[in-house]
Amino acid sequence: MKPISTITVSSDLPSVLEPLRDLALNLRWTWRRQTVDLFRSLDPQVFAASGENPIAMLSRVPAGRLAEAARDETFLAQMRSEAGDLRTYLDSGRWFQRTVPGAQGAGDGSSIAYFSMEFGITPTLPIYSGGLGILAGDHLKSASDLGVPLVAIGLLYQWGYFSQSLDPSGWQQENYHHNDPEQLPISPVLTSAGEQLTVSVTMPGGREVAIAVWKAQVGRVPLLLLDTNLETNDEDARQITDRLYGGDHEHRIVQEIVLGIGGVRAVEAYAQATGAPAPTVFHLNEGHAGFSGLERVGRRIDAGASFSEAVAEVRAGTVFTTHTPVPAGIDRFDASRLRSYLDADETGLSRLIPSLPVEAALALGIEKGGDVFNMAQLGFRIAQRANGVAKLHGAVSRGMFQDLYPGFDVPEVPIGSVTNGVHRRTWTSAHMDDLYKKALGDVDISSLSDWSALATLTDHELTETRNALRADLVTMARDHVKESWLRRGADEAELAWTEHILDPNALTIGFARRVSTYKRLTLMLSDPERLKKILLDESRPVQIVVAGKSHPADRPGKEFLQQLVQFADDHGVRHRIAFLPDYDIRMASVLIAGSDVWLNNPVRPEEASGTSGMKAVLNGGLTFSVSDGWWDEMKDDEAGWTIPTAEVPDQSERNRIEAEALYEILEQSIVPLFYERDARGMQRGWMTKVRSSLVKVAPQIVAARMVRDYVTDLYLPAARAASAFASDPALAGEFTEWKAAVQQAWSAIAVSGVTLEGTDGSTVSTGAEVTLAADVELGGLRDTDVLIEAVLGEIGADDEIIDPQLIPLQRGDDGRWAARFALAAPGEVGYTVRVTPQHPVLASRAELGLVATA
C-alpha cells in the first residue's frame, strides 16, 4: 500500500548526552580521532550511514540505543573526557598567548578577519572545491591550535561544488546535491532577541538582499557563513549563494559582493551580538573578497575621512594573498558592470556602499589602458601587505604585477611570500600518527622545528606502516572503481575484475589535483607503450592511482581527464592504473597516505604552491615533482626526485623532453630503489629516503609553520599599522597631505654630480674603502621625506644592476649626500644613486611607485 503522507521521526537526545551535541558542533573532531571514535562507538552503522557526520547521526540513532548509552558508565566517562578535553583546548593559553605581548588582553592583532570563497574542513560541510579551500580550512585549524584570534568569513552554498561521475566514454558528468543546514555542523548566529542574525546589501534599483549568518565552530575559530536563500529575498537573490564557482561573471560579481561587503557587515554585527572583538586586521585569501576593502573605505569616509585618508587607513590593516601565477586565474570583470552595481547617485556616491565615490573606487582596480576591473589589482591596491604562497610564486607575482610599482626592479615589488602548509593532525593517518607519537611523544609536534627523532624509526616499523596504508588505498580504489563502472552503465556481473585491480605490494604512485591543462595530467601518457611497459613489468610492477575534478567550464581539462580515463579503461592496464571519481577530503586522506610516491608535473612556474604532495610527505610518501611551487624551495635529492625543467619556448617540445625525464627517473631510480631488498628482505635504501623526507621536509610543510609566518610577518605588523591610525586621529590626514606633497614635488627631484672617490681611475682593490657622493635636489621636500641610497651590484647581460646592494647616504656639511664603504667582491660593479619616499606609515619603499635615479 502507498502511504497518504510521510513524517520524519527523529530521536531526542537524553539530557545526560547533551555534551555530544557540543562535540558534534565543534569541528575540532575532524582532527581529533578520539572524538570520532566516541561517535562511532555510539552506533557504528548509523555513523557510517550518516557519512561519518556526527551532527547528522544524532537524530538517527534509535531511542533505545540512546537510552542504553545514557546508562553506560564507560561511554559516559569517554564522553565526559572528550568534553573536558575540548573545554581545556578552548580555554587554555596557546602559542599566540605565550608569544605575543598583551595577547591575554587586547594585544596586537586581537582579531583577524579571514575571508575566503571556500573552506575545506570536512566532507560533512561541502563548501569547497579544491586546493584553495583545503588551504583555507587548514589555516583555520592551525590558527585554532596556535590560539590565533581569528574569525573567518565565507559563503554557505545551497548546492556546494559538484560531485563527479563519468559517462561510458569517460567524459566528466557534474551532479549537485542540496546542502540541508539541519544536517550540517553549523548553527544560526542569534541576536539578543533570539532571532537569526541578518545583514543586507543593496543591489541596483534599490533591491535589498538579506543575508543570514550561520556559524561553524572550527576549534577556537568561528567561521561565519553567509546565506541569501531566505524567503524574504526574491528568487534571483536566493540563488546568489547557490553554487561554488557556478554561473557567469554576473553571478560571480554578486557572490563577491555578498562575501566582501556582506562579510564586513556580518563580522561587525557578529561582534556586536556576541561581544567578540571587532577585527583589526583583514586577510583576503585571494581577490574574491576585494570588495570588503571598498566597504571599509566607505565606512571611514562616512566617519569623516577623505577618500585618500580612508584608503590609507584601510590599507594599513589589510593583508592580501594571491594564489595564481597566471593572469587567466584572476577574476577580471567589465568595469561598466561593476559601475552599475556600485550604483552612483547624482553626487557620484555609491548606493551599494554609502559615501564611497564610485569612480575613485573603480580606479583602484581598473587595468591600465582598458575598461577591465582586476580583482587582484584591487587586492594589491587595498592591502598594504601582500604575499604569494611559495618563494617561487612570490617571485613570479612580483614580475606579474611590476607595472603597479613603476620605476622599481622586480625584486623590490612589495609582494612577499608565505609558503603554504598542511594541517598535520588532519592529514596524518592513524597508522603514521602512532609512529610520530612513538618517536616524538604524545605532543603537538607541529610546534617543533626539530623532527630528527623520526630518524630512529626502524625499517620494520616504516615497512609495516607503509604496507598497511597501501593496502587501505587498494581496498578503497577497488570499491570506487567498481562503483564508477556501475554508474557508467556496466552490469555488476561483468565487474568481478574490479575486485583484483592493483596490488597491495606494488610500487604505488599517486596523482590527484584539480584537472587543468597546466597541471599536465596526461604528461605520463606521452609515450603510452613505454608507460605500459613500466606498469606491466612482472618482477617490478608499478601502479598509478589518479583522482581530480575539472571545472565544469574547462573543456580542455575535461579532454585531458577523458584521455586518462580511456587509457585506464584499457583491458591490458586497467589492473595497474585507476581513476577514482569525485575526489574529496575523505578520498584524499586515504590516497595521499597510501601512495609511495606523489607525482606532480605542472608547467613550471604555473603551480603557485600545491599542497597535496605535502600531505603525502607526512605519511612517509616520497616526492617526485617538477621544481615548482613548494618543492622548488624544499627539494632535496635525499628526500625525493626532481623532474628537470626544459628551457625551450615550444610547449609541445617541452612536454616531450620533460616526459622523457619523467620516464627515465622512474625506470632508472625510483623503481629499482623501491624493489631493492637487503638480506633481511627490508627496503633499506627506500626507507632511508623516507626517513630523510620525514626529518628534513616534513617540519617545513606543516600549516602551523605557515600560520606562525602569517602572524609574525603580516598580521602583527598590520595590526600595529592599523593601531597607529586608530590611536592618532590626525595621522590619516597628515599622511595624505604628505603623500600629496611628495607626489607633487617628485618631478622636481634630481640626482647629479655622482662621484666615486678612492679609486685609481676605473679600478679599485678588493676591500678598499671608497666614498660615493652625489648632489640631490629635493624639490622642496625635507631630508626626512626621502631615503637616498647608493645602488651597487654586478652588471647583468642587459647592462642592468643585478642583486643590488643598497647603502643609505647621509647629507654632509657641504650639502652633498655621501657614504663610505668597502667593495668586497671582485668583478665589474655598477653603481648609481636613487631617491625614494620614506614615511613611518609606508610598509615598503616601492609602495607609492615613486623613484628618482641619477
Side-chain angles (χ1 to χ4, degrees):
M1 290 184 293
K2 293 184 178 180
I4 60 171
S5 185
T6 62
I7 185 172
T8 300
V9 179
S10 63
S11 298
D12 290 331
L13 209 59
S15 58
V16 71
L17 297 181
E18 274 300 321
L20 289 176
R21 197 177 307 279
D22 295 332
L23 289 169
L25 282 172
N26 192 307
L27 292 173
R28 188 198 179 210
W29 62 259
T30 64
W31 69 94
R32 181 170 170 81
R33 57 171 149 147
Q34 295 95 324
T35 309
V36 174
D37 290 343
L38 175 71
F39 283 107
R40 183 179 288 110
S41 70
L42 179 62
D43 193 316
Q45 288 74 32
V46 172
F47 186 67
S50 71
E52 300 188 351
N53 180 349
I55 200 66
M57 79 167 288
L58 289 179
S59 62
R60 304 182 192 177
V61 178
R65 172 57 189 139
L66 291 177
E68 180 183 330
R71 298 189 300 269
D72 184 341
E73 286 302 324
T74 301
F75 180 85
L76 293 175
Q78 292 172 335
M79 180 190 71
R80 293 177 186 127
S81 175
E82 285 305 295
D85 184 87
L86 178 60
R87 282 194 300 273
T88 300
Y89 174 86
L90 297 176
D91 296 339
S92 61
R94 306 189 76 80
W95 172 83
F96 187 88
Q97 288 69 35
R98 296 192 300 269
T99 307
V100 177
Q104 294 292 351
D108 282 341
S110 60
S111 181
I112 300 104
Y114 181 90
F115 290 75
S116 184
M117 199 74 166
E118 52 175 307
F119 289 90
I121 299 165
T122 165
T124 63
L125 186 59
I127 55 171
Y128 65 95
S129 71
L132 180 71
I134 301 300
L135 180 278
D138 284 4
H139 193 109
L140 302 197
K141 293 173 182 178
S142 292
S144 173
D145 289 342
L146 295 169
V148 179
L150 188 142
V151 56
I153 301 94
L155 301 181
L156 180 63
Y157 300 101
Q158 300 163 41
W159 300 92
Y161 202 53
F162 69 91
S163 62
Q164 178 195 51
S165 60
L166 304 172
D167 72 7
S169 72
W171 190 257
Q172 175 178 285
Q173 304 295 297
E174 294 97 27
N175 308 285
Y176 290 87
H177 303 290
H178 186 256
N179 290 332
D180 179 3
E182 293 294 326
Q183 301 298 308
L184 300 179
I186 60 175
S187 56
V189 175
L190 302 179
T191 66
S192 57
E195 299 176 345
Q196 184 166 17
L197 180 68
T198 61
V199 294
S200 66
V201 294
T202 305
M203 297 297 182
R207 181 167 148 258
E208 200 80 4
V209 174
I211 305 166
V213 185
W214 301 80
K215 182 181 73 169
Q217 191 68 37
V218 186
R220 300 163 68 111
V221 173
L223 165 57
L224 306 183
L225 298 173
L226 311 182
D227 175 18
T228 65
N229 185 25
L230 306 178
E231 292 183 0
T232 55
N233 286 331
D234 62 38
E235 189 59 30
D236 286 344
R238 295 186 70 166
Q239 297 306 313
I240 291 175
T241 54
D242 59 352
R243 297 178 180 180
L244 172 60
Y245 303 141
D248 54 15
H249 274 191
E250 196 88 8
H251 192 66
R252 181 69 71 89
I253 289 172
V254 294
Q255 281 193 335
E256 295 183 6
I257 285 173
V258 169
L259 175 65
I261 299 171
V264 171
R265 296 173 185 179
V267 77
E268 180 185 67
Y270 172 77
Q272 293 174 348
T274 64
T280 53
V281 174
F282 289 73
H283 183 179
L284 315 183
N285 189 42
E286 253 308 342
H288 308 126
F291 296 135
S292 65
L294 299 185
E295 166 71 6
R296 292 164 56 220
V297 167
R299 286 166 177 259
R300 293 308 307 141
I301 296 173
D302 204 38
S306 69
F307 178 78
S308 295
E309 292 169 346
V311 170
E313 289 187 63
V314 168
R315 277 175 52 79
T318 305
V319 174
F320 172 56
T321 298
T322 175
H323 287 264
T324 178
V326 291
I330 296 170
D331 275 349
R332 300 167 73 244
F333 303 126
D334 189 319
S336 63
R337 295 304 305 145
L338 283 186
R339 189 174 281 109
S340 70
Y341 278 103
L342 289 175
D343 196 15
D345 61 19
E346 60 280 357
T347 67
L349 300 182
S350 172
R351 293 184 177 90
L352 174 64
I353 303 174
S355 303
L356 183 75
V358 170
E359 294 307 317
L362 285 172
L364 295 174
I366 290 182
E367 295 177 359
K368 185 185 298 183
D371 195 29
V372 174
F373 192 90
N374 185 310
M375 293 300 290
Q377 183 168 309
L378 173 63
F380 290 116
R381 289 270 171 81
I382 209 70
Q384 193 172 38
R385 290 163 179 83
N387 68 284
V389 290
K391 288 181 180 178
L392 177 60
H393 179 230
V396 170
S397 298
R398 288 190 286 275
M400 282 178 64
F401 296 100
Q402 183 185 16
D403 288 349
L404 298 181
Y405 309 92
F408 287 88
D409 293 336
V410 169
E412 287 193 285
V413 170
I415 304 173
S417 65
V418 175
T419 302
N420 283 347
V422 295
H423 186 249
R424 192 199 73 80
R425 290 195 184 274
T426 293
W427 295 108
T428 303
S429 63
H431 290 294
M432 199 67 197
D433 196 41
D434 290 339
L435 291 189
Y436 280 104
K437 290 177 180 178
K438 179 180 183 298
L440 293 158
D442 191 9
V443 298
D444 181 9
I445 66 171
S446 297
S447 61
L448 305 177
S449 57
D450 181 6
W451 292 18
S452 58
L454 293 177
T456 64
L457 296 174
T458 66
D459 290 350
H460 176 76
E461 290 168 332
L462 288 170
T463 298
E464 190 175 56
T465 296
R466 292 296 316 145
N467 286 347
L469 294 174
R470 194 184 312 108
D472 288 345
L473 169 55
V474 169
T475 299
M476 181 196 72
R478 290 171 177 173
D479 291 341
H480 277 268
V481 169
K482 181 177 182 179
E483 176 62 26
S484 174
W485 276 94
L486 289 171
R487 295 188 68 178
R488 293 171 70 181
D491 190 278
E492 184 158 7
E494 61 182 314
L495 295 178
W497 62 271
T498 62
E499 298 174 9
H500 307 288
I501 62 169
L502 306 180
D503 180 347
N505 297 307
L507 170 61
T508 303
I509 298 174
F511 185 106
R513 53 189 47 82
R514 180 170 56 87
V515 181
S516 57
T517 51
Y518 80 87
K519 293 178 184 285
R520 297 193 296 188
L521 169 65
T522 55
L523 190 68
M524 66 180 78
L525 304 183
S526 298
D527 187 340
E529 294 306 313
R530 188 171 181 181
L531 179 58
K532 285 182 180 180
K533 185 178 179 181
I534 294 170
L535 296 176
L536 300 176
D537 188 299
E538 292 186 4
S539 60
R540 301 189 306 186
V542 175
Q543 57 198 19
I544 305 176
V545 184
V546 182
K549 298 177 178 179
S550 186
H551 188 280
D554 183 3
R555 186 172 183 84
K558 289 183 177 182
E559 290 171 350
F560 273 31
L561 180 59
Q562 186 181 45
Q563 291 174 37
L564 188 284
V565 171
Q566 289 177 344
F567 182 83
D569 287 352
D570 186 325
H571 284 222
V573 296
R574 66 186 184 184
H575 62 302
R576 287 282 178 254
I577 181 167
F579 178 79
L580 312 185
D582 211 21
Y583 187 52
D584 69 355
I585 291 173
R586 188 174 290 112
M587 181 189 292
S589 65
V590 180
L591 176 49
I592 56 98
S595 297
D596 299 299
V597 173
W598 197 260
L599 175 61
N600 182 43
N601 48 231
V603 177
R604 187 182 193 272
E606 296 185 15
E607 180 77 271
S609 179
T611 56
S612 56
M614 295 177 171
K615 300 158 193 165
V617 166
L618 290 176
N619 288 280
L622 297 177
T623 306
F624 182 26
S625 178
V626 165
S627 185
D628 201 7
W630 71 273
W631 184 245
D632 182 74
E633 67 196 73
M634 299 182 195
K635 59 181 180 287
D636 189 314
D637 291 343
E638 295 181 359
W641 299 269
T642 303
I643 302 168
T645 298
E647 302 293 345
V648 295
D650 182 73
Q651 187 58 52
S652 61
E653 177 64 6
R654 180 176 180 177
N655 289 345
R656 186 194 65 78
I657 295 171
E658 294 183 11
E660 175 69 26
L662 186 156
Y663 293 135
E664 182 74 15
I665 294 170
L666 189 56
E667 293 167 332
Q668 302 301 320
S669 299
I670 298 176
V671 172
L673 185 64
F674 182 83
Y675 285 103
E676 180 184 277
R677 301 292 192 273
D678 66 11
R680 297 181 300 126
M682 292 287 106
Q683 298 169 286
R684 184 174 179 182
W686 188 269
M687 293 309 168
T688 297
K689 211 169 181 77
V690 168
R691 279 188 289 269
S692 181
S693 177
L694 289 171
V695 170
K696 292 183 175 183
V697 179
Q700 302 180 69
I701 50 91
V702 291
R705 186 271 311 151
M706 173 188 74
V707 173
R708 287 196 300 268
D709 288 349
Y710 272 108
V711 169
T712 56
D713 298 344
L714 295 167
Y715 293 166
L716 293 181
R720 288 190 288 269
S723 177
F725 280 103
S727 60
D728 182 359
L731 180 59
E734 292 172 359
F735 174 70
T736 300
E737 290 176 5
W738 173 86
K739 186 168 69 170
V742 168
Q743 290 170 329
Q744 183 175 3
W746 204 256
S747 61
I749 289 181
V751 181
S752 61
V754 179
T755 60
L756 189 65
E757 302 169 3
T759 70
D760 179 14
S762 60
T763 63
V764 64
S765 301
T766 301
E769 288 197 338
V770 296
T771 298
L772 188 148
D775 295 313
V776 183
E777 170 56 50
L778 295 183
L781 296 179
R782 299 164 300 182
D783 290 1
T784 54
D785 292 331
V786 296
L787 178 63
I788 302 175
E789 300 166 300
V791 184
L792 303 95
E794 180 185 348
I795 299 296
D798 55 358
D799 292 331
E800 295 280 337
I801 297 174
I802 58 176
D803 297 326
Q805 177 186 7
L806 302 175
I807 300 173
L809 305 185
Q810 302 294 327
R811 188 193 286 272
D813 294 337
D814 59 358
R816 301 193 79 207
W817 293 79
R820 186 167 180 79
F821 50 86
L823 295 170
E828 185 179 8
V829 175
Y831 63 89
T832 187
V833 173
R834 76 171 185 183
V835 185
T836 54
Q838 69 171 357
H839 189 281
V841 167
L842 297 178
S844 162
R845 70 186 76 214
E847 199 168 310
L848 300 184
L850 297 175
V851 61
T853 57

